[in-house]
Amino acid sequence: IVIIPNELFELTNLEILYLNWNKITNIPIKIINLSNLKELCLSCNTITLIPKEVGKLLNLEKLCLSNNKISTI
């Protein structure tokens, strides 16, 4: 997977999302639609930036972003 499909952001009751070991380059701003998300794991991709919308996921308890290309937080 290179791009997270838009249809995924319609799953508003989704609590756990694991998309490790892909070629995802960015986290879309639509991630804010997943307001019930408790775990978001995107390790081992090619993500370079964490959008501020991730910080607005109030139910998020676990965020995995290791082994990406993030240079600043």
Side-chain angles (χ1 to χ4, degrees), residues 10 16 19 28 62-63 68 70:
E10 296 172 13
I16 299 173
L19 289 172
K62 180 178 180 180
L63 176 63
N68 276 286
I70 300 165

Side-chain angles (χ1 to χ4, degrees), residues 6-60:
N6 281 328
E7 294 82 8
L8 191 102
F9 301 110
E10 296 172 13
L11 304 173
T12 55
N13 291 320
L14 189 67
E15 293 185 2
I16 299 173
L17 179 59
Y18 280 78
L19 289 172
N20 300 326
W21 294 99
N22 285 287
K23 295 181 180 178
I24 298 168
T25 57
N26 70 332
I27 304 170
I29 347 178
K30 290 183 179 180
I31 194 78
I32 194 67
N33 295 347
L34 303 179
S35 58
N36 290 311
L37 206 57
K38 292 182 180 180
E39 295 185 24
L40 176 59
C41 294
L42 296 167
S43 296
C44 301
N45 281 284
T46 56
I47 297 167
T48 57
L49 178 68
I50 305 169
K52 62 183 175 188
E53 286 75 16
V54 170
K56 296 178 182 177
L57 295 171
L58 301 179
N59 291 311
L60 194 63

